Amino acid sequence: MSRRQRPFSPIVEFEHSAFTPYLPTTKKTASYWVLGIIIAIFACRIGFGDRYEPEAVYVLGVSLAWVSFIAPMSIRALQQPSQPFQEWWLTFPLDRRTLVRAKLLASLRLNAHIAAAIWLIVTVHNFSAAVLTESPFHASLGRLWADAASYGLLFAAIVLLITCLATLAPIALHGWYRLLIFPYLVLWGFPMGNLGSLLQGEVQTDRWLQTPMVLLYACAGALLGWILYHVAIVGVAKVAMKGLASHEPGKALVHLHRPASAAQRTVRGRPTAAGFRSLFQLERSRHRSIAANKWLQLVRGILVLAIMVGGYFSLSNSEWIDMIRAILVIPSIFIITHMTLTYANDMGKRRLEWMLGFPYSRLKLAFSRLLAIWATTALWLGGALLAAAVGAGIRYIVNRPDSIGTSNSLYTAAYVLLLFTVYIIFGTLVSHVQYSTAKYPVLSAIGLPFMMLSYVAPMLFNQYVLPESLPTAGVSHSLWIGLGLFAVIGLPFALVLFVISTRGMAFSMLASQAKLARRSGVTK
């Protein structure tokens, strides 16, 4: 047994080395973690005070852990086929299950650190609320200790469950497994569903979120996580790693008579552009290629039908406003995440290095990509809203409801559309600040909090800006003023971050390549 485990531990340490710079392994990084935890505790004290039950704050922490685990781990897993050293990685004298297990265990270590930090922040907040205030929510120390123990076990179960679930993401890129993409996105945003109602006190926590039920959730999550752990190792090794090798047995290297794909035929039929327009068409061709995938077309067709049915049943009593909001929330988060994934993927494939050789400024290169994602977003969200409108139109013709809405409903719908439009523009601009980390650390320190905030902004909108009573109560003047200030101040600020950050694209790429070289042992 020991002989089999000897080569396994070094490969785990190798995979874990990718996360070591971000973990409290040195005095410098540990001081950053301690400072961040202290700031987060003070933020919780200011934001929550003694107005929320301890269980509600723990649920918020679990939800944030859920999202922070599933997004980065999924992106890292999906990037594996494009890593420049993946063929060298496959030459290790280890079977593929061992390689997948090593990556999974390294990710579990990272997520365990994050979960422990979030749990500590919430626990210290709840106990400090009990000491500093006289809130009835914190009257019993026994309740606080029971919550701390039970939710600690739940955090541990979530680490195992979500890390293993995120490891399965590459399987959704192969064959009929692509049908799992939509359920996977639903799971991505699952914890945010009733979070706003929970924090507003509309959900009672006296039973479902108390210690006995939380212990039951933790046991169920640990059992399901244990199953997914083994499924992930076997499934990723058998399915997701097929395309990593440059040549697979029984598969021809060159397809001389292979018919052109739908995306290739579409691109060939378009007139050749020049200048900045050629850059725009180049970026748009990537989105058309993804949209031409037959499995994604099937998923898109199912979504369109589902949206039409939702539009049909949501026409009465201003419920169609909630339908519009539901259409906008998840895609808006996905778009900003896609911007991060695209640049990281291009660095790994050295596509960014190829693009920087074009006779155009870095600002034009980045702006062409930005325009392409905006155009694609407008087309896809416009199509979804049109499908909802078609369903609502059928309902109006077949079975017209007694009440559709008031003039306030139209103003509310316009407000929701404008709010998410400004948010998408702001988020996609701010997402470029990650490329200024190496060259402009001060700018990065200013912009990264806004970038991280953009990932949870829709949740904050639903909680503070778009309450359930908004369709009937209407949009107040203060909300319109707030949206105007967001657009007038936020968009120019994001544009400045974008322009300056694009100057650090090449430097960030070189720093990333040097880091990979050091990991692979090419340089000392």
Side-chain angles (χ1 to χ4, degrees):
M1 180 65 70
S2 60
R3 290 182 179 179
R4 293 182 61 186
Q5 289 180 349
R6 283 176 184 173
F8 182 63
S9 181
I11 190 63
V12 175
E13 295 299 330
F14 169 77
E15 295 294 344
H16 186 61
S17 65
F19 307 124
T20 302
Y22 311 106
L23 296 178
T25 53
T26 64
K27 292 183 179 180
K28 182 178 180 180
T29 54
S31 63
Y32 289 155
W33 275 68
V34 171
L35 179 61
I37 289 174
I38 293 174
I39 293 174
I41 292 173
F42 277 105
C44 287
R45 293 294 306 129
I46 296 173
F48 301 129
D50 58 348
R51 298 184 298 275
Y52 300 102
E53 299 188 47
E55 294 82 5
V57 186
Y58 272 116
V59 171
L60 173 62
V62 170
S63 302
L64 293 178
W66 182 298
V67 175
S68 63
F69 293 165
I70 198 170
M73 292 299 106
S74 300
I75 292 173
R76 186 170 185 266
L78 292 171
Q79 285 178 343
Q80 180 58 39
S82 63
Q83 292 294 338
F85 55 86
Q86 52 91 6
E87 293 183 359
W88 163 76
W89 179 64
L90 291 174
T91 61
F92 288 175
L94 299 168
D95 61 273
R96 295 190 173 185
R97 292 188 183 184
T98 301
L99 295 175
V100 175
R101 186 182 293 110
K103 283 188 173 294
L104 181 53
L105 290 177
S107 300
L108 284 171
R109 283 190 190 181
L110 172 68
N111 290 341
H113 281 81
I114 299 174
I118 297 176
W119 175 85
L120 179 62
I121 292 168
V122 177
T123 302
V124 173
H125 160 74
N126 286 337
F127 275 90
S128 63
V131 174
L132 300 176
T133 67
E134 297 180 356
S135 171
F137 296 148
H138 305 82
S140 173
L141 286 178
R143 174 186 178 183
L144 294 178
W145 282 113
D147 285 343
S150 59
Y151 277 95
L153 294 176
L154 181 60
F155 270 102
I158 290 295
V159 169
L160 178 61
L161 175 63
I162 301 304
T163 305
C164 296
L165 180 64
T167 305
L168 286 167
I171 295 180
L173 301 178
H174 300 270
W176 66 269
Y177 296 103
R178 293 185 176 95
L179 296 175
L180 300 175
I181 293 177
F182 178 68
Y184 189 81
L185 293 176
V186 172
L187 285 174
W188 189 342
F190 170 74
M192 300 303 177
N194 295 319
L195 192 58
S197 299
L198 178 68
L199 294 179
Q200 291 174 7
E202 299 174 6
V203 177
Q204 298 298 323
T205 62
D206 53 354
R207 178 185 177 187
W208 298 107
L209 299 179
Q210 295 296 331
T211 298
M213 295 303 298
V214 173
L215 289 175
L216 182 62
Y217 302 151
C219 293
L223 177 61
L224 184 57
W226 179 80
I227 295 173
L228 286 179
Y229 174 81
H230 295 281
V231 171
I233 293 173
V234 176
V236 174
K238 285 187 176 181
V239 179
M241 294 182 69
K242 285 183 179 180
L244 290 183
S246 57
H247 173 60
E248 299 174 28
K251 185 176 181 180
L253 290 175
V254 181
H255 301 274
L256 296 178
H257 304 289
R258 186 174 183 176
S261 64
Q264 291 172 335
R265 293 193 298 269
T266 302
V267 173
R268 291 174 185 174
R270 295 178 180 274
T272 304
F276 180 79
R277 186 181 175 188
S278 65
L279 293 175
F280 174 75
Q281 288 193 359
L282 176 65
E283 296 298 333
R284 282 283 292 132
S285 66
R286 303 181 68 185
H287 304 149
R288 295 192 187 100
S289 177
I290 296 174
N293 184 281
K294 62 179 181 180
W295 294 101
L296 289 182
Q297 288 178 345
L298 177 60
V299 173
R300 183 173 58 185
I302 295 173
L303 286 176
V304 168
L305 291 176
I307 292 173
M308 289 179 63
V309 172
Y312 180 90
F313 287 103
S314 64
L315 183 62
S316 60
N317 298 324
S318 300
E319 293 179 359
W320 51 276
I321 297 177
D322 294 328
M323 184 67 187
I324 293 175
R325 181 166 55 181
I327 291 174
L328 295 175
V329 169
I330 294 181
S332 60
I333 300 175
F334 176 77
I335 291 161
I336 298 173
T337 306
H338 175 74
M339 292 295 298
T340 305
L341 175 61
T342 299
Y343 274 105
N345 190 36
D346 284 350
M347 284 186 183
K349 288 185 175 180
R350 304 189 70 176
R351 185 176 184 270
L352 184 60
E353 183 177 348
W354 168 66
M355 291 184 63
L356 290 175
F358 290 176
Y360 300 99
S361 66
R362 295 162 192 170
L363 180 61
K364 285 187 177 181
L365 292 173
F367 192 61
S368 66
R369 175 165 296 182
L370 208 54
L371 283 181
I373 193 67
W374 287 346
T376 303
T377 300
L379 289 174
W380 282 65
L381 290 182
L385 293 173
L386 180 61
V390 170
I394 295 174
R395 170 71 181 277
Y396 187 84
I397 296 173
V398 175
N399 185 18
R400 181 179 178 179
D402 297 332
S403 175
I404 298 177
T406 63
S407 59
N408 285 335
S409 301
L410 295 177
Y411 288 115
T412 303
Y415 179 83
V416 172
L417 290 172
L418 287 175
L419 175 64
F420 277 91
T421 299
V422 175
Y423 159 67
I424 290 173
I425 296 175
F426 178 86
T428 50
L429 286 171
V430 170
S431 66
H432 290 76
V433 78
Q434 60 185 313
Y435 308 108
S436 65
T437 304
K439 192 172 183 179
Y440 305 107
V442 176
L443 180 70
S444 177
I446 297 174
L448 281 178
F450 290 96
M451 175 183 167
M452 299 304 298
L453 186 64
S454 64
Y455 289 104
V456 297
M459 181 192 71
L460 300 177
F461 291 158
N462 287 335
Q463 180 182 349
Y464 298 109
V465 183
L466 305 174
E468 298 294 334
S469 60
L470 190 66
T472 55
V475 182
S476 63
H477 292 291
S478 60
L479 288 179
W480 282 110
I481 293 174
L483 177 58
L485 292 176
F486 181 30
V488 172
I489 299 176
L491 293 184
F493 171 73
L495 182 61
V496 171
L497 291 178
F498 167 74
V499 172
I500 300 177
S501 298
T502 54
R503 300 175 183 173
M505 288 173 57
F507 193 87
S508 178
M509 178 192 67
L510 294 175
S512 177
Q513 292 176 352
K515 180 180 177 181
L516 292 176
R518 287 193 299 269
R519 285 194 65 202
S520 60
V522 176
T523 59
K524 293 183 179 181

